[in-house]
Amino acid sequence: MNKTDIAIIGLGITSKLTALALASENCKVMIFGHPNSLNYNSNLVTFFSKNSINFLKEIGIEDLINKSIAIKEISCSKLEQYQSEKKFQINFKEKDFKDGMGRIIINNSLNENLDHLIKKNKNISIISNKSITHYRHQEANTKLVLSDGEELITYILIINDKKSNLINENFKNNQLKKELDQTSIVMNVKTDTCGHAYQLFTDKGALAFLPINKKVASVIWSLDNSALELGYNIDEISKKINDIFISVTGKLDVLDMKKYKLNFEYSKKIISKSIVLIGDAAHSLHPIAGQGLNLSIKDIIALKEKIRRFKYLGYSLGNQIILSDFQSERQADNAIFTFATNYLDEILKNRSFLINKLSNFGLISLNKNNLIKNKVIKSATGK
């Protein structure tokens, strides 16, 4: 019977980051997933906070980070307020650190770098021709049954793939799911950038300009499914975003355009015996604040620290105290960010008289209060 310290279900970015982090603690890790399940044709990008950038550097992603541009300033406003007053309602600045508030990294590039690191890591193996079909928790360890009938002993089972049947079997009545009835249009655009990101809140959804490097940015418009813009071709959407951004960023040459449906998922529990939920299996949230993968990295860092601390104290890897302590630390933060981003989108696109006035007042008041602004920056950057 084969044995591994940790088994992971899912082959996405979060799974690879988790494997590399835990392998650095001298854990043997098996990842179960098929490469065909990954979308290497996507044009998605991710905002990595200052804290997440430090984590990426620790696992060896320094070169990719250096190819991106540090986000030193983020300006936000409701679209109509910006168009009428020619200024943003709120500005966040961070000039004291090399990496600013964070960096935008292309998902495909990150995946390629992670694949290279995993291939070189002797503590990690990828199992692509088998899947985990059954889970049986035992007193000292966990027995997994694979699709070919083989049995595998492990101490911790981490699930990152939210489609895994083991989630429904072990987290029944703990999963909150909601269709957001929104679709994101994601475009890579060619333009001169200077480390300044922008977010405009329209009545149809949030529109973001995210600099990747000095010459390329990502533009993401999260739109209600009823929005006419979802039916635009690349020339029509190019004209639309240039009408909005040209006075801010200059001309944008759209290089590509893809669409992605948005959803909301949250697990009220993230551990069940020796199973741990991380990433999309634990929380899928609205991209308005760019915190999705940053939350997952906080989870990974916390789990790694718990394993290191309790192993030092003599506890076995699968001890329930480790996982319970991990859940206690991460549950509140995950809940706050997951629900807050969803409500933030609803509030900022609402144009009813009272809500509109209150949200405008809130943005303006926040911009005047440096103490609260600094707390927002620290929270968003993970510091």
Side-chain angles (χ1 to χ4, degrees), residues 152-190:
L152 175 69
I153 294 296
T154 190
Y155 297 99
I156 298 176
L157 173 61
I158 297 173
I159 303 178
N160 290 323
D161 183 357
K162 62 184 178 183
K163 295 179 182 178
S164 172
N165 64 299
L166 295 181
I167 295 178
N168 289 331
E169 292 174 11
N170 295 279
F171 293 85
K172 192 174 182 180
N173 301 323
N174 281 287
Q175 301 291 303
L176 302 178
K177 299 183 180 182
K178 177 185 176 184
E179 290 293 330
L180 293 180
D181 295 322
Q182 286 187 308
T183 300
S184 281
I185 300 177
V186 179
M187 297 157 273
N188 284 320
V189 300
K190 185 177 179 181

Side-chain angles (χ1 to χ4, degrees), residues 77-87 89 360:
S77 182
K78 289 189 177 181
L79 176 60
E80 62 271 24
Q81 292 295 121
Y82 170 75
Q83 289 176 330
S84 65
E85 299 180 13
K86 303 303 179 187
K87 66 178 182 179
Q89 291 174 292
N360 281 335

Side-chain angles (χ1 to χ4, degrees), residues 65-71 102-104 193-195 211-214:
I65 292 168
N66 291 335
K67 292 176 182 177
S68 64
I69 190 169
I71 305 299
R103 292 173 183 257
I104 309 297
T193 70
C194 57
I212 298 170
N213 54 47
K214 292 181 179 180

Side-chain angles (χ1 to χ4, degrees), residues 18 29 39 42 48 54 71 105 119 156 163 170 181 197 238 245 276 281 320:
T18 305
V29 182
N39 182 10
S42 84
F48 287 91
N54 289 336
I71 305 299
I105 294 177
K119 191 175 292 186
I156 298 176
K163 295 179 182 178
N170 295 279
D181 295 322
S238 176
F245 276 120
V276 180
Q320 195 65 33

Side-chain angles (χ1 to χ4, degrees), residues 13 39 41-48 64 68 71 103-111 184-189 197 208-213 216-221 256 258 260 287 289-294:
I13 288 175
N39 182 10
N41 293 319
S42 84
N43 64 346
L44 290 172
V45 300
T46 297
F47 168 74
F48 287 91
L64 182 61
S68 64
I71 305 299
R103 292 173 183 257
I104 309 297
I105 294 177
I106 299 170
N107 285 13
N108 282 345
S109 298
L110 179 58
N111 254 319
S184 281
I185 300 177
V186 179
M187 297 157 273
N188 284 320
V189 300
F209 174 89
L210 307 172
I212 298 170
N213 54 47
V216 177
S218 178
V219 174
I220 303 173
W221 201 351
D256 56 41
K258 293 182 183 293
Y260 304 89
Q291 290 300 309
L293 192 50
N294 292 301

